Amino acid sequence: MFLRLLLRRRAHVNITRHLDRNMKMRLQRALAWLLGLSGLHVLAMVLLEGLTPGDALWLTLTTLTTVGYGDLSAATPAGRLATTVLLYFAGITLLAQLASDYIDYRLKQKDYMIKGLWRWRMKDHVLIVNSPARNPAVYFQRLVDQLRATDQFADRPVLILTDAFPDGLPARLREQGVVHYHGESSDRASLAAVDPGDARAIIVLAQDEYSRVSDSVTLDVLMQLNDLCHQRLPYTVAESVEEDNRRRAEAAGANTTLRPVRAYPEILVRALVAPGAEKILENLFTHHDDHTMRYPVTLDQVQWSDVACQLLTAGMGTLMAYVTDTGHVECHPAPDHRFSASALILMVREEAIPTAHQVREALADLTATPDQPRSD
């Protein structure tokens, strides 16, 4: 079944390219005939009417385009016959046919672009290879929104290599300036058609975030991209379903790898904009390595920088946010921000998770009231 679909897709692309070549040849033939007839008419006007080459060309163009200013015209019977045969019967008809074929060609070209059958020949673009197995349109919209919100990629063209949109990308994506090339991600011809060597950045998505088979496809894509780019791959982020395959993906050419997190495409964008930040964000989604903890600590009108420094010095972790008495969570305010809190949220190390009592002890100087002695 898969082989039949693949052969059908390739046959469709080959037929499309064949039709495209035929249309170009028709346009070239029609233009050649039109130029030949026009040249013969110019020569006839010079020989039969005694016009200068410039006047003969002017008469030919005004007659051919049916403008007919009337400042020049054929006067002799032979000149009129030449104009009738070369321009009225053949030239004008041929010009109309040429215009019609050109419009048809442009419409067909637009259809190719919409359906992903057009080679864009981009430079400095963001190339995305593959698409999620579920809700690809929604995912791409959120991913592109995040890219457009950054200074580095706000104006970069985005090209997607995917077979998920045979009838064209959704209107919302096209409005965002996104285009696609319809093809299999592991097909070498399709990979070459999206100009990976000229890309600003490459994102290789896992086809199925729940299947380890996706990692095999990703590794194959990375190796082919490396070969196409002559071992000079642009900055590349690749998704890896299995943790053990991340090292293999990086050995195959990926600058960084991360787990597929479809609900948060922002992580992918962070990997492009601030390489390494994706590792911190990934840790927030797991309960191993560094992760966040909430501690019930009451603070009254303290300064953010004082609390953060005191906790860090005591080895309690990194202060990320505080919780107000009403339950509102305020994340990472300015250093001189003063606040009151009912709880603190810290990023702690898995091997050194402090207790609530230890956190309170570390902040004893800040939590002491005028009626209470401050600890030394």
Side-chain angles (χ1 to χ4, degrees):
M1 180 65 179
F2 173 76
L3 182 61
R4 187 162 61 248
L5 289 173
L6 181 61
L7 291 174
R8 186 183 303 169
R9 186 194 70 79
R10 289 184 174 174
H12 175 66
V13 172
N14 289 334
I15 291 171
T16 300
R17 289 174 179 168
H18 180 67
L19 291 173
D20 191 36
R21 284 196 298 270
N22 283 346
M23 189 167 288
K24 283 184 178 179
M25 289 176 63
R26 280 176 55 192
L27 285 170
Q28 291 169 353
R29 271 199 307 269
L31 182 60
W33 273 103
L34 185 62
L35 291 174
L37 291 173
S38 300
L40 287 175
H41 185 263
V42 169
L43 182 62
M45 293 302 99
V46 171
L47 297 177
L48 300 176
E49 298 293 331
L51 298 177
T52 64
D55 286 343
L57 179 61
W58 174 251
L59 175 60
T60 300
L61 292 177
T62 55
T63 305
L64 192 62
T65 56
T66 69
V67 175
Y69 287 110
D71 54 340
L72 294 171
S73 61
T76 66
R80 290 173 179 173
L81 179 63
T83 299
T84 302
V85 173
L86 295 175
L87 296 188
Y88 291 165
F89 285 167
I92 294 176
T93 302
L94 195 60
L95 181 63
Q97 182 64 43
L98 181 63
S100 175
D101 286 348
Y102 180 73
I103 293 172
D104 192 30
Y105 172 73
R106 293 293 294 177
L107 290 173
K108 187 74 70 175
Q109 187 183 71
K110 184 177 181 180
D111 186 56
Y112 291 171
M113 290 178 176
I114 291 175
K115 292 183 178 179
L117 303 175
W118 184 260
R119 181 165 182 180
W120 294 92
R121 301 189 184 280
M122 288 186 173
K123 285 185 180 294
D124 215 21
H125 55 293
V126 178
L127 172 60
I128 303 174
V129 181
N130 276 332
S131 56
R134 287 162 280 275
N135 300 319
V138 175
Y139 177 79
F140 282 134
Q141 285 171 16
R142 291 190 59 189
L143 177 58
V144 174
D145 280 339
Q146 290 298 312
L147 285 170
R148 295 291 183 245
T150 67
D151 292 334
Q152 295 92 324
F153 298 100
D155 300 318
R156 302 288 174 192
V158 177
L159 173 59
I160 304 173
L161 171 59
T162 177
D163 59 356
F165 305 101
D167 297 321
L169 294 175
R172 168 76 185 280
L173 278 174
R174 294 203 301 271
E175 290 168 1
Q176 290 175 299
V178 180
V179 296
H180 83 298
Y181 186 85
H182 186 79
E184 292 284 339
S185 61
S186 56
D187 177 35
R188 187 178 180 85
S190 296
L191 286 169
V194 292
D195 302 304
D198 294 323
R200 174 70 176 273
I202 299 176
I203 299 173
V204 183
L205 298 175
Q207 289 183 327
D208 189 337
E209 61 268 33
Y210 300 111
S211 173
R212 63 182 302 164
V213 177
S214 297
D215 288 352
S216 300
V217 177
T218 298
L219 290 170
D220 178 56
V221 168
L222 288 170
M223 287 188 287
Q224 291 199 64
L225 287 173
N226 233 330
D227 188 42
L228 288 168
C229 297
H230 308 292
Q231 309 302 317
R232 299 183 64 181
L233 205 59
Y235 192 85
T236 301
V237 179
E239 290 185 334
S240 181
V241 177
E242 293 290 326
E243 187 70 23
D244 294 341
N245 289 327
R246 297 178 73 159
R247 211 166 35 239
R248 297 173 62 193
E250 290 174 3
N255 294 91
T256 188
T257 58
L258 65 160
R259 304 178 192 90
V261 184
R262 292 291 173 258
Y264 293 96
E266 296 87 346
I267 298 178
L268 264 175
V269 177
R270 286 295 98 197
L272 295 176
V273 175
E278 74 281 357
K279 304 299 182 185
I280 298 172
L281 294 173
E282 273 192 302
N283 281 344
L284 297 178
F285 287 89
T286 63
H287 200 72
H288 62 271
D289 296 328
D290 298 338
H291 56 271
T292 52
M293 295 283 290
R294 175 169 171 153
Y295 293 95
V297 177
T298 302
L299 296 172
D300 184 37
Q301 289 302 305
V302 291
Q303 186 165 292
W304 176 265
S305 59
D306 292 339
V307 179
C309 291
Q310 202 148 322
L311 288 170
L312 194 60
T313 303
M316 297 294 104
T318 304
L319 182 60
M320 304 294 292
Y322 69 88
V323 184
T324 66
D325 292 335
T326 59
H328 173 71
V329 178
E330 183 72 28
C331 298
H332 200 258
D336 59 352
H337 175 73
R338 301 195 71 83
F339 65 97
S340 298
S342 61
L344 298 177
I345 297 176
L346 278 65
M347 180 177 283
V348 300
R349 292 178 294 124
E350 183 182 21
E351 67 274 13
I353 301 176
T355 64
H357 176 71
Q358 289 174 319
V359 172
R360 292 193 195 97
E361 283 293 311
L363 298 174
D365 288 347
L366 297 175
T367 57
T369 65
D371 297 330
Q372 295 174 323
R374 292 181 179 271
S375 60
D376 294 329

